[in-house]
Amino acid sequence: MEFDISNPALAADGLKRIDWAWREMPVLQLLFKRFERERPLAGLRISGCLHITTETANLARVLQAGGATLRLCASNPLSTQDDVAAALVEHFHIPVYARRGEDDSTYYQHIHACLAQRPQITLDDGADLVSELHKQAPDWLREVLGGTEETTTGVIRLRAMAKDGALKIPLVAVNDADTKHLFDNRYGTGQSALDGVIRATNILLAGKHFTVVGYGWCGRGIALRARGMGALVTVTEVNPTRALEAAMDGYTVMPLTEAAKTADFIVTATGDKHVVDSAHFAVMQDGCILANAGHFNVEINLPALDALASHITKPRQSVQSYHLADGRVLRVLAEGRLVNLAAAEGHPSAVMDMSFANQVLAVEYLARQGQKLTAEVHRVPAELDQQVARLKLQAMHIKIDTLTTDQQRYLNSWQEGT
Ligand code: ADE
């Protein structure tokens, strides 16, 4: 079996951590049992470009139980947990192509190695795998039943591909399932981005000025948790409705050029490029900490910051200090890459349980229906989304009410009014 990982000797540590995460993933455990019985993916080749974490290993475990032949590569050069990569190779016999800290050229070589098995289903986190498949091996697209996409950024990219007429296979937007973005993007990013900032800096948040750039589901979660830690939270937005929502949620809202003057921390979660730029660097106070929680490392304009710096030092593992000519020092976490995975361990397992249950059900849906689906971006069918919610509630021992027949009838009628 071919693979490319950093250190096979880490496999035993990786397996212990994968099992630790598994305990927090009851929905995946239920799906694992059904997949072992029913083998809905028997004989299918599936390639995944995902963050190589303990949670992803458990997703792979379920897909493998369903009969799939898997290959995995990293969806970010800094998010790979090398012990997990080793355990996937050693204990699950899955070819993994991922080394933490790999350079861009290795990153793409790994994607190509993952594609080389000519997958029938693809799993993406950021759409790099599908985009490379379309660019490098268009002839192989005929064999592909479809793919899934985990992130907001990836879904935006795929919709752009579809709009251009470039998308040739059906894609399921896992991100858009309610049981994904309402939990993973909000509570997952909320906790894990703060975890990344804290692990990287060990600086007290209480009483600090903390600016969140972007008030989508990720930004909402980061703001919520930063406020919970006692920070004075400011939100910056370009969308008037979201800005209004942030204001009514109790945050200070202002343009970033204003917020940057007093911020101790600035965390981006927009999915767009250069949202923190030269005009903002110019007014930041000495010591300001910059981090990104969006998928790609483009949100902070690092080349522009680089050009302003006389030199860069590394005071801690995940911190780079940019020394500016005027004496100020601006600190960037995790090279501007997504701070929750590069400086911490990504979202907690309990939330990835739901995201990856959607992945599993979307893959099963593609295996059954892929041939009939058009080459567009599709939603996760509502009944699958609700199935995830129901299974999660069941695992959490939470019971809910049901409508009476009379109530159901009332909701479906229009005659009864005042
Ligand atoms: N994306 C965010 N957190 C993650 C995790 N723990 N595993 C895989 N993908 C993730």
Side-chain angles (χ1 to χ4, degrees), residues 257-272:
T257 34
E258 283 305 307
K261 291 178 186 165
T262 51
D264 299 300
F265 295 88
I266 299 177
V267 179
T268 56
T270 68
D272 210 345

Side-chain angles (χ1 to χ4, degrees), residues 50-56 75 81 125 150-151 184 189 192 338 340-341 345-349 352 356:
L50 301 166
H51 300 295
I52 305 299
T53 64
T54 53
E55 291 74 26
T56 300
S75 59
Q81 298 172 2
D125 187 311
E150 171 79 4
T151 62
D184 170 315
T189 310
S192 64
L338 70 194
N340 59 342
L341 280 139
E345 292 171 66
H347 300 350
S349 318
M352 294 312 294
F356 284 168

